[in-house]
Each structure stands twice: as structure tokens, then as C-alpha cells.
Amino acid sequence: MVRDDRWDRALQLLGGLHYLALRDGIDPWGDPAAAVTEHADWLRGFVAEHGIQTNEVQRSWMLLPCFLEIVRRTGTEILDLIEIGPSAGLNLVWDRYRYRYENGGWGKADAALELSGEERRPVPGSLWGFVPWVRRRRGIDLSPLDLTRDEDTLLLKAFVWADQQHRLERLNRAVETLRTNPPVLERGDAAERLPELLAERQPGALTIVVQTAVTGYLGERAERIVGALEDAARQFPLAFVWTARPAPDVHDYWGLWVRIWPEGEPFLIEHAGFHGQWLEWLGEDE
Ligand SMILES: C[S@@+](CC[C@H](N)C(=O)[O-])C[C@H]1O[C@@H](n2cnc3c(N)ncnc32)[C@H](O)[C@@H]1O
């Protein structure tokens, strides 16, 4: 996918206006042209300095069944996670949220955040009995955000559409959850750094590498990442979950793909909306 820089500039500009609204309490939306004129120098600096940064925690709702299906198939309940392009890492702490699905729920009853969505073909209730333990969580991002810092939290909020209060509310609860024990996020290019992170594995767990909403940025790096995974899978238990097109000509929603080594053949386990707002389970019923 070739990204159009002009579209990015427009989104950065809107992010800058939202940043000012959140930080200073101004209302730029009544007369945005006047707000842009008044804050032109500051906005120029913001656009030059801050690429778009988003981290959609609702994606944990579409990911959880994939993780539990991997646990079911491998029989391993101790997990080490590595996320490619985690942004702030909100989906690396998926096991701390509460979830609702048609056939049951999962997670701690007192979680600060509960996630739910629309199931177009429901996830089987038998999966909710699996309760894996996440032993380790790491991420590699070109520009990771540190949500223990108020500046980074503000930046992440600024790139949520300003009228989507429910997403901002969800983000606040997810940030609160993450801050109790933040995951380790490395700065760097995943194609460069992944082999090193994979080499740090400790015996006794299944490593799951996960990537959501990053495929479009990777280009030829995607092949290097797959090569690193295949090399690592020769040495220890490994699974990979990622979002990509479900079929070459489908552009309106995602496929959730899974590979579990040693077989290593990719299979499609879900269709899902881009923000994880709906899913269609493609695996077995029970
Ligand atoms: C659209 S965001 C998705 C964030 C998160 N995965 C989610 O689903 O909410 C894309 C993320 O990928 C990161 N990214 C893009 N190219 C990358 C690369 N080559 N290596 C590591 N991270 C990358 C960006 O910095 C950004 O944080």
C-alpha cells in the first residue's frame, strides 16, 4: 500500500487542533480556519514534529479469540508476547481488560475497561474457559508512546476524532489499566529489531508475535519479518497473528490471520472491522 502524504498532513493538522482543544480548552471547531490562522506557527511545528499516532484498544476485542484459539490448539497457557508496531502498547495488555461476547465473557470482573462489539458469526463459548498467563510483553515501534507521560497520553488522545467521546472514554480507561504495569516498548524498525527480540526468548512459554494495522506501513519489510519468524520458529514454539486483507480484492475489512509453527501454514480465523468493532468468526463452532 502506498501512503499519500497529503492525507497524513491533513490528519496531523486536525490532530494539532484537537491537541490544543484538549490542552488549552479552546474550541477550534466552530471556526477552524480562524483557529488555524491564529495558531499557524504552533501548528506548523506540531505537523513537522508529530507523525500520526493511533492505538485502538478495541482491537483487543477481535484479538482475544485469536489468542485463545492458539492456546486451545497448542495446549500452552504461558505466553510471551511481542507486538510489531504497538504504538503505546494498549493491545499488549489485553489480558487486563474485561470482554463481552454473545456466548460468554472473559477477564477480571473488576477491570477498568470492558470491551464488546458486534459478532456477525459468534465466537464459540468453549474458548472462554482458557485463561492463559502472559509472562512477558515487548513491543517494537518506530515511534512508541510512553503513556506514563502526560505529554504522550495527550498526543494519543489528540489523534482520536474529537467528536468520538466514547473512544476517548475507552482510551482513558485503557491508559489507566496500562499504567499499573506498562509493557516494555523498544524504539526501532521491526524488520531490524525483531530477530534480536526473538533471540531473547526464555524456555517455558509460547511466543506470540502480533501485528495489527501495521501491514500498510511495512512494504518490503514484511518479507524480512516473516523470514525472522520462520528462522525463530525452527528453534522454539511460535505463533503469529496479524491483520491483512482477507483476500486480494477485499479492501473494506480485515482478515485476522494466524500461523502456528511447526506446521506454519497461514489460516484465516476471523473477518473484522478496521477498529475491531465487529468480527465474524471463521473457526470451528465448538
Ligand atoms: C496505525 S498504528 C497501529 C498501532 C497499533 N498496532 C494498533 O493496532 O492500535 C501503526 C503503528 O505502526 C508503527 N510502525 C510503522 N512502521 C513500523 C516499522 N517498520 N517498525 C515498527 N513499527 C512501525 C507506527 O509507528 C505506529 O505506531
Side-chain angles (χ1 to χ4, degrees), residues 3 52-57 59 62-63 83-91 140-145 186-192 210-218 221 225 243 254 274:
R3 293 189 61 80
I52 301 159
Q53 262 298 11
T54 57
N55 194 187
E56 181 47 71
V57 68
R59 292 186 182 128
M62 70 179 190
L63 283 171
E83 185 170 354
I84 293 169
S87 180
L90 295 176
N91 294 318
I140 323 157
D141 199 289
L142 286 178
S143 42
L145 292 179
E186 310 274 345
R187 181 178 295 274
D189 182 337
E192 303 286 337
V210 54
Q211 178 273 93
T212 60
V214 187
T215 304
Y217 301 86
L218 292 177
R221 291 183 187 90
I225 287 172
T243 59
W254 269 329
F274 292 132

Short mmCIF file of all heavy atoms in Angstrom, two decimals, residues 3 52-57 59 62-63 83-91 140-145 186-192 210-218 221 225 243 254 274, ligand 1:
data_model
loop_
_atom_site.label_atom_id
_atom_site.label_comp_id
_atom_site.label_asym_id
_atom_site.label_seq_id
_atom_site.Cartn_x
_atom_site.Cartn_y
_atom_site.Cartn_z
N ARG A 3 1.25 5.07 0.84
CA ARG A 3 0.54 6.05 1.66
C ARG A 3 0.64 7.42 1.02
O ARG A 3 1.68 7.79 0.49
CB ARG A 3 1.12 6.08 3.08
CG ARG A 3 0.86 4.79 3.82
CD ARG A 3 1.26 4.95 5.26
NE ARG A 3 0.49 5.98 5.92
CZ ARG A 3 -0.73 5.83 6.40
NH1 ARG A 3 -1.32 4.66 6.28
NH2 ARG A 3 -1.37 6.81 6.99
N ILE A 52 1.32 10.81 12.68
CA ILE A 52 0.04 10.34 13.23
C ILE A 52 0.33 9.16 14.15
O ILE A 52 1.07 8.25 13.79
CB ILE A 52 -0.89 9.88 12.09
CG1 ILE A 52 -1.15 11.04 11.15
CG2 ILE A 52 -2.19 9.31 12.63
CD1 ILE A 52 -1.61 10.60 9.79
N GLN A 53 -0.24 9.21 15.33
CA GLN A 53 -0.08 8.09 16.26
C GLN A 53 -1.43 7.65 16.78
O GLN A 53 -2.14 8.45 17.39
CB GLN A 53 0.83 8.50 17.44
CG GLN A 53 2.26 8.06 17.28
CD GLN A 53 2.41 6.53 17.21
OE1 GLN A 53 1.45 5.78 17.08
NE2 GLN A 53 3.64 6.07 17.24
N THR A 54 -1.79 6.44 16.49
CA THR A 54 -3.06 5.93 16.99
C THR A 54 -2.82 4.57 17.63
O THR A 54 -1.89 3.85 17.25
CB THR A 54 -4.09 5.74 15.85
OG1 THR A 54 -3.53 4.86 14.88
CG2 THR A 54 -4.46 7.05 15.19
N ASN A 55 -3.63 4.25 18.60
CA ASN A 55 -3.58 2.93 19.23
C ASN A 55 -5.00 2.58 19.65
O ASN A 55 -5.52 3.16 20.60
CB ASN A 55 -2.64 2.97 20.45
CG ASN A 55 -2.26 1.60 20.97
OD1 ASN A 55 -1.63 1.49 22.02
ND2 ASN A 55 -2.61 0.55 20.28
N GLU A 56 -5.62 1.70 18.90
CA GLU A 56 -7.04 1.40 19.11
C GLU A 56 -7.20 0.17 19.99
O GLU A 56 -6.99 -0.96 19.54
CB GLU A 56 -7.73 1.23 17.76
CG GLU A 56 -9.19 0.93 17.86
CD GLU A 56 -9.93 1.86 18.82
OE1 GLU A 56 -10.09 3.04 18.49
OE2 GLU A 56 -10.34 1.41 19.93
N VAL A 57 -7.60 0.40 21.24
CA VAL A 57 -7.71 -0.70 22.20
C VAL A 57 -8.88 -1.63 21.89
O VAL A 57 -8.87 -2.80 22.29
CB VAL A 57 -7.79 -0.15 23.64
CG1 VAL A 57 -9.10 0.59 23.89
CG2 VAL A 57 -7.62 -1.27 24.64
N ARG A 59 -9.30 -3.09 19.34
CA ARG A 59 -8.75 -4.24 18.58
C ARG A 59 -8.45 -5.43 19.49
O ARG A 59 -8.38 -6.56 19.02
CB ARG A 59 -7.50 -3.81 17.81
CG ARG A 59 -7.84 -2.84 16.70
CD ARG A 59 -6.68 -2.49 15.80
NE ARG A 59 -7.13 -1.53 14.81
CZ ARG A 59 -6.55 -0.36 14.53
NH1 ARG A 59 -5.43 -0.01 15.17
NH2 ARG A 59 -7.04 0.44 13.63
N MET A 62 -11.13 -8.07 19.10
CA MET A 62 -11.06 -9.02 17.98
C MET A 62 -9.85 -9.95 18.14
O MET A 62 -9.83 -11.04 17.58
CB MET A 62 -11.01 -8.28 16.63
CG MET A 62 -9.71 -7.56 16.41
SD MET A 62 -9.60 -6.70 14.84
CE MET A 62 -7.84 -6.27 14.89
N LEU A 63 -8.84 -9.51 18.91
CA LEU A 63 -7.63 -10.34 19.07
C LEU A 63 -7.80 -11.46 20.09
O LEU A 63 -7.25 -12.55 19.91
CB LEU A 63 -6.45 -9.45 19.51
CG LEU A 63 -5.80 -8.60 18.44
CD1 LEU A 63 -4.81 -7.62 19.07
CD2 LEU A 63 -5.08 -9.47 17.40
N GLU A 83 4.85 -7.45 20.18
CA GLU A 83 3.98 -6.75 19.22
C GLU A 83 4.82 -5.90 18.28
O GLU A 83 5.69 -5.13 18.70
CB GLU A 83 2.94 -5.88 19.95
CG GLU A 83 1.96 -5.26 18.94
CD GLU A 83 0.77 -4.57 19.57
OE1 GLU A 83 0.59 -4.64 20.81
OE2 GLU A 83 0.01 -3.93 18.80
N ILE A 84 4.51 -6.02 17.00
CA ILE A 84 5.14 -5.21 15.95
C ILE A 84 4.28 -3.96 15.77
O ILE A 84 3.09 -4.07 15.48
CB ILE A 84 5.20 -6.01 14.64
CG1 ILE A 84 6.16 -7.20 14.80
CG2 ILE A 84 5.60 -5.13 13.47
CD1 ILE A 84 6.07 -8.20 13.66
N GLY A 85 4.84 -2.78 15.98
CA GLY A 85 4.08 -1.53 15.82
C GLY A 85 2.99 -1.37 16.87
O GLY A 85 1.84 -1.12 16.53
N PRO A 86 3.34 -1.49 18.16
CA PRO A 86 2.31 -1.42 19.21
C PRO A 86 1.84 -0.01 19.51
O PRO A 86 0.89 0.16 20.27
CB PRO A 86 3.03 -1.99 20.44
CG PRO A 86 4.47 -1.62 20.21
CD PRO A 86 4.68 -1.74 18.72
N SER A 87 2.52 1.01 18.95
CA SER A 87 2.22 2.40 19.28
C SER A 87 2.46 2.60 20.78
O SER A 87 3.60 2.64 21.22
CB SER A 87 0.80 2.77 18.86
OG SER A 87 0.53 4.09 19.18
N ALA A 88 1.40 2.66 21.60
CA ALA A 88 1.58 2.85 23.05
C ALA A 88 1.48 1.54 23.82
O ALA A 88 1.67 1.52 25.04
CB ALA A 88 0.53 3.83 23.55
N GLY A 89 1.12 0.45 23.15
CA GLY A 89 1.09 -0.86 23.82
C GLY A 89 -0.24 -1.22 24.45
O GLY A 89 -0.31 -2.17 25.24
N LEU A 90 -1.32 -0.53 24.10
CA LEU A 90 -2.61 -0.82 24.75
C LEU A 90 -3.11 -2.23 24.44
O LEU A 90 -3.81 -2.83 25.26
CB LEU A 90 -3.68 0.21 24.32
CG LEU A 90 -3.42 1.65 24.76
CD1 LEU A 90 -4.48 2.57 24.19
CD2 LEU A 90 -3.37 1.75 26.28
N ASN A 91 -2.73 -2.76 23.28
CA ASN A 91 -3.17 -4.12 22.95
C ASN A 91 -2.19 -5.18 23.45
O ASN A 91 -2.41 -6.37 23.24
CB ASN A 91 -3.42 -4.25 21.44
CG ASN A 91 -4.59 -3.40 21.01
OD1 ASN A 91 -5.61 -3.34 21.69
ND2 ASN A 91 -4.44 -2.69 19.90
N ILE A 140 7.95 -3.34 19.51
CA ILE A 140 8.96 -2.58 18.74
C ILE A 140 8.18 -1.62 17.86
O ILE A 140 7.41 -2.05 17.00
CB ILE A 140 9.78 -3.44 17.75
CG1 ILE A 140 10.07 -4.82 18.31
CG2 ILE A 140 11.04 -2.70 17.30
CD1 ILE A 140 10.36 -5.83 17.22
N ASP A 141 8.44 -0.32 18.05
CA ASP A 141 7.71 0.66 17.24
C ASP A 141 8.69 1.75 16.79
O ASP A 141 9.62 2.12 17.52
CB ASP A 141 6.58 1.29 18.06
CG ASP A 141 5.55 1.95 17.17
OD1 ASP A 141 5.85 3.01 16.56
OD2 ASP A 141 4.43 1.40 17.05
N LEU A 142 8.45 2.28 15.58
CA LEU A 142 9.30 3.37 15.08
C LEU A 142 9.21 4.58 16.00
O LEU A 142 10.19 5.27 16.21
CB LEU A 142 8.84 3.78 13.68
CG LEU A 142 9.17 2.85 12.52
CD1 LEU A 142 8.59 3.41 11.23
CD2 LEU A 142 10.68 2.64 12.40
N SER A 143 8.02 4.85 16.54
CA SER A 143 7.88 5.96 17.50
C SER A 143 6.89 5.58 18.59
O SER A 143 5.72 5.97 18.54
CB SER A 143 7.46 7.25 16.80
OG SER A 143 6.49 6.99 15.84
N PRO A 144 7.38 4.80 19.54
CA PRO A 144 6.49 4.35 20.62
C PRO A 144 6.07 5.51 21.51
O PRO A 144 6.82 6.48 21.67
CB PRO A 144 7.37 3.37 21.41
CG PRO A 144 8.77 3.76 21.09
CD PRO A 144 8.77 4.33 19.73
N LEU A 145 4.88 5.41 22.07
CA LEU A 145 4.42 6.41 23.03
C LEU A 145 4.51 5.82 24.44
O LEU A 145 4.20 4.65 24.64
CB LEU A 145 2.97 6.80 22.75
CG LEU A 145 2.74 7.58 21.46
CD1 LEU A 145 1.26 7.88 21.29
CD2 LEU A 145 3.54 8.89 21.45
N GLU A 186 10.28 -1.00 22.70
CA GLU A 186 11.57 -0.62 22.12
C GLU A 186 11.32 0.31 20.95
O GLU A 186 10.36 0.12 20.20
CB GLU A 186 12.30 -1.85 21.57
CG GLU A 186 12.39 -3.01 22.52
CD GLU A 186 13.60 -2.88 23.43
OE1 GLU A 186 14.47 -2.05 23.12
OE2 GLU A 186 13.64 -3.61 24.43
N ARG A 187 12.22 1.27 20.76
CA ARG A 187 12.13 2.14 19.59
C ARG A 187 12.94 1.51 18.46
O ARG A 187 14.09 1.11 18.66
CB ARG A 187 12.71 3.53 19.93
CG ARG A 187 12.63 4.53 18.79
CD ARG A 187 13.18 5.86 19.25
NE ARG A 187 12.37 6.44 20.29
CZ ARG A 187 11.28 7.19 20.09
NH1 ARG A 187 10.91 7.47 18.86
NH2 ARG A 187 10.59 7.66 21.10
N GLY A 188 12.34 1.42 17.28
CA GLY A 188 13.11 0.90 16.16
C GLY A 188 12.22 0.33 15.08
O GLY A 188 11.00 0.28 15.21
N ASP A 189 12.89 -0.09 14.01
CA ASP A 189 12.20 -0.70 12.88
C ASP A 189 12.04 -2.19 13.18
O ASP A 189 13.03 -2.87 13.45
CB ASP A 189 13.08 -0.48 11.63
CG ASP A 189 12.43 -1.03 10.38
OD1 ASP A 189 11.57 -1.92 10.48
OD2 ASP A 189 12.81 -0.57 9.29
N ALA A 190 10.81 -2.66 13.10
CA ALA A 190 10.55 -4.06 13.46
C ALA A 190 11.36 -5.03 12.61
O ALA A 190 11.80 -6.08 13.09
CB ALA A 190 9.06 -4.36 13.33
N ALA A 191 11.58 -4.68 11.33
CA ALA A 191 12.34 -5.59 10.47
C ALA A 191 13.78 -5.73 10.97
O ALA A 191 14.39 -6.79 10.85
CB ALA A 191 12.31 -5.09 9.03
N GLU A 192 14.31 -4.65 11.57
CA GLU A 192 15.69 -4.69 12.09
C GLU A 192 15.74 -5.37 13.45
O GLU A 192 16.64 -6.16 13.73
CB GLU A 192 16.22 -3.25 12.29
CG GLU A 192 16.21 -2.36 11.08
CD GLU A 192 17.29 -2.75 10.10
OE1 GLU A 192 18.27 -3.37 10.53
OE2 GLU A 192 17.13 -2.43 8.90
N VAL A 210 2.45 -10.46 17.37
CA VAL A 210 1.17 -9.92 16.90
C VAL A 210 1.40 -8.58 16.21
O VAL A 210 2.30 -7.83 16.59
CB VAL A 210 0.17 -9.80 18.09
CG1 VAL A 210 0.73 -8.99 19.24
CG2 VAL A 210 -1.17 -9.25 17.64
N GLN A 211 0.60 -8.35 15.20
CA GLN A 211 0.70 -7.10 14.45
C GLN A 211 -0.69 -6.70 13.98
O GLN A 211 -1.35 -7.48 13.31
CB GLN A 211 1.66 -7.33 13.29
CG GLN A 211 1.89 -6.19 12.34
CD GLN A 211 0.86 -6.16 11.21
OE1 GLN A 211 -0.18 -5.49 11.30
NE2 GLN A 211 1.13 -6.86 10.12
N THR A 212 -1.17 -5.51 14.38
CA THR A 212 -2.44 -5.03 13.85
C THR A 212 -2.25 -3.63 13.27
O THR A 212 -1.59 -2.79 13.87
CB THR A 212 -3.55 -4.96 14.94
OG1 THR A 212 -3.16 -4.07 15.98
CG2 THR A 212 -3.87 -6.32 15.50
N ALA A 213 -2.82 -3.43 12.10
CA ALA A 213 -2.85 -2.12 11.43
C ALA A 213 -1.45 -1.60 11.11
O ALA A 213 -1.23 -0.39 11.08
CB ALA A 213 -3.61 -1.09 12.29
N VAL A 214 -0.51 -2.47 10.85
CA VAL A 214 0.85 -2.05 10.51
C VAL A 214 1.24 -2.49 9.09
O VAL A 214 2.13 -1.91 8.48
CB VAL A 214 1.88 -2.57 11.55
CG1 VAL A 214 3.27 -1.99 11.30
CG2 VAL A 214 1.45 -2.22 12.97
N THR A 215 0.53 -3.49 8.56
CA THR A 215 0.90 -4.05 7.25
C THR A 215 1.11 -2.95 6.20
O THR A 215 2.09 -2.99 5.45
CB THR A 215 -0.22 -5.00 6.75
OG1 THR A 215 -0.43 -5.99 7.75
CG2 THR A 215 0.15 -5.68 5.45
N GLY A 216 0.24 -1.95 6.17
CA GLY A 216 0.31 -0.91 5.16
C GLY A 216 1.57 -0.07 5.23
O GLY A 216 1.91 0.63 4.28
N TYR A 217 2.26 -0.10 6.36
CA TYR A 217 3.47 0.70 6.53
C TYR A 217 4.74 -0.10 6.22
O TYR A 217 5.81 0.47 6.15
CB TYR A 217 3.60 1.20 7.98
CG TYR A 217 2.46 2.04 8.46
CD1 TYR A 217 1.32 1.46 8.99
CD2 TYR A 217 2.53 3.43 8.41
CE1 TYR A 217 0.26 2.23 9.44
CE2 TYR A 217 1.48 4.21 8.87
CZ TYR A 217 0.35 3.60 9.38
OH TYR A 217 -0.69 4.36 9.82
N LEU A 218 4.61 -1.42 6.10
CA LEU A 218 5.83 -2.25 6.11
C LEU A 218 6.50 -2.41 4.75
O LEU A 218 7.72 -2.51 4.68
CB LEU A 218 5.51 -3.63 6.70
CG LEU A 218 5.17 -3.63 8.20
CD1 LEU A 218 4.80 -5.05 8.64
CD2 LEU A 218 6.33 -3.09 9.03
N ARG A 221 9.58 -4.69 4.05
CA ARG A 221 9.99 -5.16 5.38
C ARG A 221 9.17 -6.37 5.83
O ARG A 221 9.62 -7.16 6.65
CB ARG A 221 9.82 -4.06 6.42
CG ARG A 221 10.76 -2.89 6.28
CD ARG A 221 10.50 -1.96 7.44
NE ARG A 221 11.23 -0.73 7.32
CZ ARG A 221 10.78 0.34 6.71
NH1 ARG A 221 9.59 0.31 6.11
NH2 ARG A 221 11.49 1.45 6.67
N ILE A 225 10.36 -9.64 8.03
CA ILE A 225 9.73 -10.02 9.31
C ILE A 225 9.31 -11.49 9.26
O ILE A 225 9.60 -12.26 10.19
CB ILE A 225 8.54 -9.08 9.61
CG1 ILE A 225 9.10 -7.71 10.01
CG2 ILE A 225 7.63 -9.66 10.68
CD1 ILE A 225 8.09 -6.62 10.16
N THR A 243 -3.14 -8.68 11.03
CA THR A 243 -4.24 -8.20 10.19
C THR A 243 -3.70 -7.97 8.78
O THR A 243 -2.60 -7.45 8.60
CB THR A 243 -4.82 -6.87 10.71
OG1 THR A 243 -3.78 -5.89 10.74
CG2 THR A 243 -5.44 -7.01 12.08
N TRP A 254 -10.89 -6.33 7.58
CA TRP A 254 -9.67 -7.11 7.73
C TRP A 254 -9.91 -8.59 7.77
O TRP A 254 -10.99 -9.04 8.19
CB TRP A 254 -9.03 -6.76 9.07
CG TRP A 254 -8.06 -5.65 8.98
CD1 TRP A 254 -7.26 -5.32 7.92
CD2 TRP A 254 -7.76 -4.74 10.01
NE1 TRP A 254 -6.48 -4.26 8.24
CE2 TRP A 254 -6.76 -3.87 9.52
CE3 TRP A 254 -8.20 -4.56 11.30
CZ2 TRP A 254 -6.21 -2.86 10.27
CZ3 TRP A 254 -7.67 -3.54 12.05
CH2 TRP A 254 -6.69 -2.70 11.54
N PHE A 274 -12.18 -2.52 10.81
CA PHE A 274 -10.82 -1.97 10.97
C PHE A 274 -10.49 -1.55 12.41
O PHE A 274 -9.34 -1.55 12.80
CB PHE A 274 -10.61 -0.78 10.03
CG PHE A 274 -10.57 -1.18 8.58
CD1 PHE A 274 -11.32 -0.50 7.64
CD2 PHE A 274 -9.77 -2.24 8.16
CE1 PHE A 274 -11.28 -0.87 6.30
CE2 PHE A 274 -9.73 -2.62 6.82
CZ PHE A 274 -10.49 -1.94 5.88
C1 LIG B 1 -1.87 2.59 12.70
S1 LIG B 1 -0.73 2.39 14.02
C2 LIG B 1 -1.35 0.90 14.76
C3 LIG B 1 -0.98 0.81 16.22
C4 LIG B 1 -1.46 -0.46 16.91
N1 LIG B 1 -0.85 -1.63 16.33
C5 LIG B 1 -2.97 -0.59 16.90
O1 LIG B 1 -3.49 -1.52 16.27
O2 LIG B 1 -3.64 0.22 17.54
C6 LIG B 1 0.74 1.84 13.17
C7 LIG B 1 1.95 1.73 14.09
O3 LIG B 1 3.00 1.05 13.38
C8 LIG B 1 4.23 1.67 13.68
N2 LIG B 1 5.18 1.29 12.60
C9 LIG B 1 5.10 1.60 11.26
N3 LIG B 1 6.13 1.05 10.60
C10 LIG B 1 6.88 0.38 11.51
C11 LIG B 1 8.08 -0.38 11.46
N4 LIG B 1 8.74 -0.57 10.30
N5 LIG B 1 8.56 -0.92 12.59
C12 LIG B 1 7.92 -0.73 13.78
N6 LIG B 1 6.78 -0.01 13.90
C13 LIG B 1 6.26 0.54 12.78
C14 LIG B 1 3.86 3.14 13.74
O4 LIG B 1 4.85 3.88 14.44
C15 LIG B 1 2.53 3.08 14.51
O5 LIG B 1 2.71 3.09 15.90
#
